[in-house]
Amino acid sequence: MTAVLFDFSGTLFRIESTESWLRAVLEEAGRDLPEPELKEAARALEAAGALPGGVEPVRVPEELAGVWARRDESAELHRAAYTGMSRRVPLPDPDLHDALYARLMSPAAWTPYPDARRVLRALHERGIGVAVVSNIGWDPRPVFRAHGLDPFVDAYVLSYEHGVQKPDPRLFSVACAALGADPRRTLMVGDSREADGGAAALGCLVDHLPAADRPNALLPVLDLVPGLASDPA
C-alpha cells in the first residue's frame, strides 16, 4: 500500500447532533425556544435531512430533487440544497436557516473520531500518502487545522472544487495523482459503499456513527501497513 484516501464526514469526523446544531445557532442569535419546541424543531430538521453529515432525508421534495442530486458539485448547489431542506421547518426567524448553514462549517460543529489522530499520524510518519476525498460543498481544511489533523494530510480532493461527485472515478484519479500513488496500491476508507466502495483496488468501510460510539473502527487500516499495528496510541 502506497497511499490511503479518506472520506471526511462519518469517516474521520462526525458532525454534532441536530439538536446541538440548533441549540448553538439559537444561542449565538440570542433567541430562545421553549424546550419542547426546540426538541420538536430539531426532530423536524433531522427528518428533513437539513444537517449535512447527519441522517438522510425522509423525503426529498420534488422541487429540490434536481439540486439535491447534484448538491456536492458546487458551493452554490450545496447551500441551495441544504438551506432548501432546512426552510421546510418553521423557525422563529427566517435568518436562522442561513445561520444553521454557516454553523456546519465551524470547527466547533465537528468532532474527530477517537482513533483518527493515531491512524493519520502513523501513516504520515511511515511515509504513506494521505488524501481526503470528500463529497462536500465547502472547505473542511479549517476543521482539520483547528483539530490539529491538517499536518497529517497531504492533499484534499473536494467534489465542489472539481464539479464532480463520488463515485465518479475522476476524484480518485486526482487524489492518486496528487499523492503520486498507484491506484492499484491505494486504500479508500469511507462510510458509503455507494460512494466509496469501488474507489480503488482496496477498500475499507466504516459505520457512520456518533464519535463516542465508534472508538476504533479506523485502526484496521494500520494492519495493512507492516509495523504500524503495534504503534502506540
Side-chain angles (χ1 to χ4, degrees):
M1 186 170 62
T2 60
V4 184
L5 315 180
F6 289 94
D7 181 40
F8 165 55
S9 174
T11 300
L12 293 174
F13 283 84
R14 172 73 182 203
I15 189 68
E16 65 189 331
S17 70
T18 309
E19 185 175 320
S20 171
W21 180 50
L22 178 58
R23 282 186 190 278
V25 167
L26 288 170
E27 182 177 346
E28 186 173 339
R31 301 298 299 261
D32 290 321
L33 271 182
E35 192 67 13
E37 292 182 27
L38 187 152
K39 288 183 176 295
E40 179 56 35
R43 283 193 291 268
L45 286 166
E46 184 162 311
L51 176 61
V55 301
E56 291 293 309
V58 172
R59 182 182 68 86
V60 177
E62 185 176 351
E63 64 271 19
L64 287 175
V67 172
W68 186 259
R70 301 176 54 223
R71 64 191 180 279
D72 294 314
E73 292 181 9
S74 74
E76 295 74 19
L77 287 169
H78 193 270
R79 175 182 285 274
Y82 282 102
T83 57
M85 290 298 204
S86 173
R87 292 181 193 282
R88 298 175 62 207
V89 179
L91 294 176
D93 183 342
D95 290 341
L96 289 172
H97 296 285
D98 290 323
L100 284 169
Y101 188 82
R103 167 73 181 179
L104 79 92
M105 293 179 275
S106 167
W110 294 89
T111 300
Y113 281 96
D115 52 351
R117 175 178 294 274
R118 174 184 174 183
V119 170
L120 292 178
R121 183 184 64 195
L123 293 170
H124 177 76
E125 291 176 350
R126 192 58 180 258
I128 302 296
V130 170
V132 172
V133 184
S134 179
N135 280 350
I136 196 167
W138 52 278
D139 186 0
R141 293 175 182 88
V143 175
F144 282 81
R145 287 196 292 268
H147 290 278
L149 299 186
D150 183 65
F152 310 129
V153 178
D154 301 298
Y156 294 85
V157 180
L158 311 174
S159 61
Y160 84 102
E161 293 182 338
H162 296 274
V164 294
Q165 303 177 145
K166 294 184 294 183
D168 191 305
R170 284 175 287 180
L171 284 182
F172 305 110
S173 296
V174 168
C176 289
L179 298 176
D182 182 345
R184 296 167 297 179
R185 300 182 63 197
T186 297
L187 174 69
M188 178 69 212
V189 184
D191 67 320
S192 169
R193 184 171 298 278
E194 178 183 357
D196 304 314
L202 299 172
C204 177
L205 291 175
V206 295
D207 292 323
H208 189 129
L209 295 171
D213 296 341
R214 212 199 71 194
N216 54 17
L218 294 171
L219 294 183
V221 172
L222 301 185
D223 293 334
L224 299 173
V225 183
L228 288 188
S230 59
D231 278 3

